[in-house]
Amino acid sequence: MGITRNHHHHSPDLTTTKKKLKYNHYDYEEDDTCTGFALTLGDFINPMLPTSIVVSDALEPDCPVIYVNKVFESVTGYRADEVLGRNCRFLQYRDSRTQRRHPLVDPVCVSEIRRCLDEGIDFQGELLNFRKDGTPLVNRLKLAPIHDDDGVVTHIIGIQVFTETKIDLNSVSYPVFKETCKNEGDQVAPKSGMVKCTECREVCGILQLSDEVMAQNILSRLSLRDVASIGSVCRRIRQLTKNEHVRKMVCQNAWGREVTGALEHITKKLGWGRLARELTTLEAVCWKKLRVGGAVEPSRCNFSACAAGNRLVLFGGEGVNMQPMDDTFVLNLDAVNPQWRQVTVKSAPPGRWGHTLSCLNGSWLVVFGGCGKQGLLNDVFVLDLDAKQPTWIEVFGGGPPPPRSWHSSCTVEGSKLVVSGGCTDAGVLLNDTFLLDLTMEKPMWRELPTSRIPPSRLGHSLSVYGRTKILMFGGLANSGHLSLNGGF
């Protein structure tokens, strides 16, 4: 059983509402002495067999289950607290951890259930389900939508009669890509969604489509896992699923254009198929020590670094005897033999440590704040890493934040610098957040008001996700006299 609808309204209480509810072609009046609905099920239920009852809330996203009876619990092995709040499609999973419908579950029947629910009509049919322990069951299922006075489906009642079945679970999966052609003796009852087929013949219609139609209209719209699975159907489909353009379209549909564009440079080495497999299965998630040439000299600590595309950039830091550094180094990870090299710049910001370095639009870098020879800073410098003669340029923004070090920063939408927290010269921790739009002709700092302010801190991280959302994590939240240098 699986129910899918898309409504976002508050659900009325099924047991307390006094409205007149309609069940398909029949009207039912609630009675003070009656605690449920009198559903006329005809010859669907055998009174000698235990009947499972499931009620789902059709006004909530994904139609969560709000009630199951004892028969459902005893037959399926699931307790009520394991079921409530979930869509009942989990019965189609032999192992609940897989979160995927078993290949032997009839997809035509599942599609028919969706159609009937979308149209607000009854469904009646049989569907392969599984107990909690993986035992296969045949679910003789009837779904009855409950309408309110306005005709809106508020609840869905599922009547289930389970019987055990002996099937070979290792057999070939259900022929998803074969269409069933019915002869004149087929009987279809569109009002109830009940389909009876007296004789069928299978035609592999999908293979009659052109490669372009299969790739653009079918394969590109599947999930990454499903594309990997469908590649085993035949040689022709396998070749299509191995096509890099098809794989890119699948990744783009799954992750969005922005993420796909950001990852495209990686596919020059891995390819879209390998990248998708590593990101979805996490099989390659492990730290690897990268041996590189060159060196960042002299040695330092408390520097700041960031990624600019596939380049790692390092600026400044604290040298021997607390000497603030002002040099810039780059490590190109796309190179065959990556090695650190110092960037020759026309001018450089004052040396500093405890600052932040962020990337703007792939090649521009921005430095903010930190601790220099004269104390704490609140200045801003930008550098175009791809320029013929890279030059650090100071940006004079009106109303800058108080000078600070050990703060955190990030860039939003590729052009807005966000600075948060840090520490003052007196050791007082900060919890403010400022934004500077570097696309403006005369940039102006503005403090971002928030309804909930996080505790003051330093040494934390600030990351952007979903383009405009910022994630803050960790740090030190303790005011007082602090020693914030490397102490060479």
Side-chain angles (χ1 to χ4, degrees), residues 18-56:
K18 294 297 181 180
K19 290 184 177 180
K20 180 182 178 184
L21 302 180
K22 298 178 181 178
Y23 168 69
N24 288 342
H25 308 296
Y26 308 97
D27 290 348
Y28 295 87
E29 290 280 351
E30 282 193 286
D31 188 89
D32 292 339
T33 61
C34 181
T35 59
F37 294 93
L39 298 180
T40 304
L41 298 173
D43 59 353
F44 178 77
I45 295 179
N46 184 341
M48 301 301 295
L49 295 175
T51 302
S52 166
I53 307 292
V54 176
V55 180
S56 296

Side-chain angles (χ1 to χ4, degrees), residues 8-141:
H8 302 277
H9 307 289
H10 177 68
S11 172
D13 189 335
L14 188 63
T15 59
T16 60
T17 179
K18 294 297 181 180
K19 290 184 177 180
K20 180 182 178 184
L21 302 180
K22 298 178 181 178
Y23 168 69
N24 288 342
H25 308 296
Y26 308 97
D27 290 348
Y28 295 87
E29 290 280 351
E30 282 193 286
D31 188 89
D32 292 339
T33 61
C34 181
T35 59
F37 294 93
L39 298 180
T40 304
L41 298 173
D43 59 353
F44 178 77
I45 295 179
N46 184 341
M48 301 301 295
L49 295 175
T51 302
S52 166
I53 307 292
V54 176
V55 180
S56 296
D57 188 344
L59 298 181
E60 289 296 321
D62 209 24
C63 292
V65 174
I66 60 174
Y67 169 80
V68 295
N69 67 352
K70 293 294 184 182
V71 175
F72 179 94
E73 292 181 284
S74 62
V75 174
T76 66
Y78 288 94
R79 301 188 311 274
D81 62 280
E82 295 177 293
V83 175
L84 299 183
R86 302 172 63 184
N87 185 287
C88 218
R89 72 171 65 90
F90 68 86
L91 291 175
Q92 300 167 22
Y93 311 152
R94 191 181 182 198
D95 184 347
S96 59
R97 293 170 297 181
T98 62
Q99 295 298 306
R100 295 188 67 189
R101 187 170 62 231
H102 193 276
L104 289 177
V105 176
D106 185 350
V108 177
C109 185
V110 174
S111 297
E112 187 65 15
I113 291 175
R114 278 201 202 98
R115 182 187 72 82
C116 292
L117 294 176
D118 288 341
E119 296 177 8
I121 60 176
D122 285 12
F123 169 85
Q124 183 173 320
E126 292 184 349
L127 188 66
L128 178 64
N129 283 175
F130 296 90
R131 283 198 180 105
K132 186 177 180 179
D133 62 5
T135 304
L137 298 168
V138 171
N139 181 0
R140 192 177 180 197
L141 172 66

Side-chain angles (χ1 to χ4, degrees), residues 428-445:
V428 177
L429 303 188
L430 304 169
N431 64 352
D432 50 5
T433 303
F434 286 82
L435 182 143
L436 179 68
D437 188 350
L438 294 168
T439 61
M440 299 177 62
E441 185 177 351
K442 294 182 179 180
M444 292 291 295
W445 283 99

